[in-house]
Amino acid sequence: MASPVTPTPLLKDELDIVIPTIRNLDFLEMWRPFFQPYHLIIVQDGDPSKVIKVPQGFDYELYNRNDINKILGPKASCISFKDSACRCFGYMVSKKKYIFTIDDDCFVAKDPSGEDINALEQHIKNLLSPSTPYFFNTLYDPYREGADFVRGYPFSLREGVPTAVSHGLWLNIPDYDAPTQLVKPRERNTRFVDAVMTIPRGTLFPMCGMNLAFDRELIGPAMYFGLMGDGQPIGRYDDMWAGWCMKVICDHLGLGVKTGLPYIWHSKASNPFVNLKKEYKGIYWQEELIPFFQTTSLPKECTTVQSCYKELSKQVKAKLGKVDDYFNKLADAMLTWIEAWDELNPSTQLQNGK
Ligand SMILES: O=c1ccn([C@@H]2O[C@H](COP(=O)(O)OP(=O)(O)O[C@H]3O[C@@H](CO)[C@H](O)[C@H]3O)[C@@H](O)[C@H]2O)c(=O)[nH]1
Ligand SMILES: [Mn+2]
């Protein structure tokens, strides 16, 4: 009797898993059944002389700060140090069409039936099916098994648009800001919501980087996680900045962003007092940043992600430079990022992100 053929994991040779880390990577043991077939890109932050142990049997490349400096030279200045923002270096050096990024304190969660959740498989499903940013489907993801477009949904919009980003969520430790963490230290997220939905066009959202996947060919150059951590006045806004820039560009290029399933189990609450020191400026700056992104418009001549991003950098400098000089530095770093991206990925000057 022939042994059952194990199905080839979806996108096995078209997806890299990017992990920012300052710790050992024992968490991979729990993910082994789901991650082992895929190539890992490990971005080691902090002291490059520290040896990061990677469990046996994983196919990976590891970059520390010395490697980043060697590969990018002076352009390495755009990659953050001592902040999880460093993960975006992994997006730049990858050669694959898709990226999944996960933190090293995120584990396999269980769904209400007690089954282990293959977060990577769900992200791939999200990315391979269209998004519906132009008209909200009240039964959520219409492309999902057992669902569809509801009555009154325009047939002219049912083809949907290509999905650029899949934003997953977290059981146990929720991704709260420091003030919320301080007032609710024991709060845990126990609510499993069985839904995936497209974030409507024109709507921003707080993108969390700990359980995130995206189509690198559609939107990769916009996934810059900014200047955070060492030497910078702000931290823990890396993923937020990337999410706002990305969403404005996705809306402009007609690409979709989804949020919801899959869940991971977030195990470690980072120190709220340390977090408060990192993020406090962001808490009041964002009251000006959000209106900036909500009112930003990109000219129709911007038909590639790179050209959109360069235009965005110009507007950041013109309109946010007066909020704080940091945004002048960030605008320059956005340009350096694109130059570095194009140097490492010469063939990705795509039209309309496609
Ligand atoms: O200096 C650092 C600190 C951490 N890392 C790696 O980044 C991720 C996240 O670290 P951690 O789980 O300790 O922090 P959280 O507060 O839970 O992270 C969430 O907050 C967001 C703000 O950055 C972030 O997007 C979320 O991930 C781990 O893999 C650490 O090893 C690092 O590289 N450098
Ligand atoms: Mn964490």
Side-chain angles (χ1 to χ4, degrees), residues 178-179 182 232-237 271-283:
L182 285 164
Q232 305 302 338
I234 186 171
R236 288 173 54 83
Y237 269 81
N271 181 307
F273 292 100
V274 172
N275 289 347
L276 185 58
K277 279 199 201 118
K278 291 180 179 177
E279 65 189 53
Y280 79 92
K281 287 197 173 198
I283 290 176

Side-chain angles (χ1 to χ4, degrees), residues 132-135 198-205 243-244 246-257 290-296:
T132 54
Y134 298 111
F135 203 85
T198 297
I199 299 174
R201 185 179 191 284
T203 302
L204 297 170
F205 75 111
W244 297 329
M246 172 277 292
K247 187 62 169 61
V248 162
I249 292 173
C250 279
D251 286 351
H252 176 73
L253 293 178
L255 301 172
V257 179
I290 300 300
F292 162 75
F293 284 104
Q294 283 171 332
T295 54
T296 292

Side-chain angles (χ1 to χ4, degrees), residues 23 103-106 173 175 210 236 266-270:
R23 311 174 175 122
D103 289 3
D104 60 17
D105 65 342
C106 295
I173 309 284
D175 186 19
M210 75 172 106
R236 288 173 54 83
H266 186 205
S267 71
K268 208 185 68 53
S270 38

Side-chain angles (χ1 to χ4, degrees), residues 63-334:
Y63 297 94
N64 63 27
R65 193 67 207 186
N66 294 336
D67 302 318
I68 295 172
N69 294 338
K70 201 157 53 187
I71 292 167
L72 296 184
K75 295 192 177 68
S77 61
C78 76
I79 302 297
S80 299
F81 186 55
K82 294 189 178 170
D83 187 285
S84 62
C86 65
R87 73 174 85 213
C88 63
F89 179 74
Y91 311 159
M92 187 191 284
V93 290
S94 169
K95 295 293 167 238
K96 303 287 176 55
K97 177 167 172 52
Y98 299 98
I99 295 286
F100 169 52
T101 188
I102 184 169
D103 289 3
D104 60 17
D105 65 342
C106 295
F107 293 84
V108 176
K110 290 190 181 301
D111 68 20
S113 72
E115 282 298 304
D116 282 351
I117 297 170
N118 182 346
L120 182 51
E121 186 185 54
Q122 180 64 49
H123 276 302
I124 291 172
K125 279 185 193 158
N126 293 350
L127 290 172
L128 294 184
S129 64
S131 293
T132 54
Y134 298 111
F135 203 85
F136 187 76
N137 189 54
T138 47
L139 208 49
Y140 309 115
D141 182 357
Y143 304 102
R144 180 177 179 173
E145 194 63 34
D148 212 317
F149 291 100
V150 295
R151 179 168 54 87
Y153 200 101
F155 280 85
S156 59
L157 293 175
R158 295 196 183 195
E159 189 184 347
V161 302
T163 300
V165 174
S166 170
H167 179 260
L169 298 172
W170 346 272
L171 291 174
N172 195 38
I173 309 284
D175 186 19
Y176 284 167
D177 50 48
T180 308
Q181 259 186 300
L182 285 164
V183 295
K184 304 173 101 175
R186 287 185 187 23
E187 185 142 301
R188 298 292 179 268
N189 181 28
T190 59
R191 209 152 40 109
F192 179 96
V193 176
D194 184 9
V196 176
M197 52 191 94
T198 297
I199 299 174
R201 185 179 191 284
T203 302
L204 297 170
F205 75 111
M207 185 174 83
C208 171
M210 75 172 106
N211 172 22
L212 181 72
F214 60 90
D215 183 320
R216 196 174 155 278
E217 288 178 3
L218 286 182
I219 200 66
M223 297 299 271
Y224 175 46
F225 274 39
L227 285 176
M228 302 281 152
D230 196 44
Q232 305 302 338
I234 186 171
R236 288 173 54 83
Y237 269 81
D238 50 325
D239 37 10
M240 300 300 147
W241 180 262
W244 297 329
C245 293
M246 172 277 292
K247 187 62 169 61
V248 162
I249 292 173
C250 279
D251 286 351
H252 176 73
L253 293 178
L255 301 172
V257 179
K258 291 176 182 175
T259 188
L261 299 179
Y263 283 89
I264 51 86
W265 180 268
H266 186 205
S267 71
K268 208 185 68 53
S270 38
N271 181 307
F273 292 100
V274 172
N275 289 347
L276 185 58
K277 279 199 201 118
K278 291 180 179 177
E279 65 189 53
Y280 79 92
K281 287 197 173 198
I283 290 176
Y284 60 85
W285 279 349
Q286 70 187 9
E287 297 305 328
E288 301 200 53
L289 300 183
I290 300 300
F292 162 75
F293 284 104
Q294 283 171 332
T295 54
T296 292
S297 76
L298 297 170
K300 62 180 183 344
E301 296 72 31
C302 294
T303 58
T304 65
V305 178
Q306 284 89 333
S307 57
C308 290
Y309 206 77
K310 288 175 193 168
E311 173 59 26
L312 207 46
S313 158
K314 225 187 288 175
Q315 295 189 27
V316 165
K317 182 161 271 193
K319 297 179 183 168
L320 297 178
K322 47 181 167 288
V323 171
D324 189 283
D325 187 49
Y326 167 73
F327 292 103
N328 290 314
K329 270 174 51 182
L330 182 55
D332 292 339
M334 290 167 74

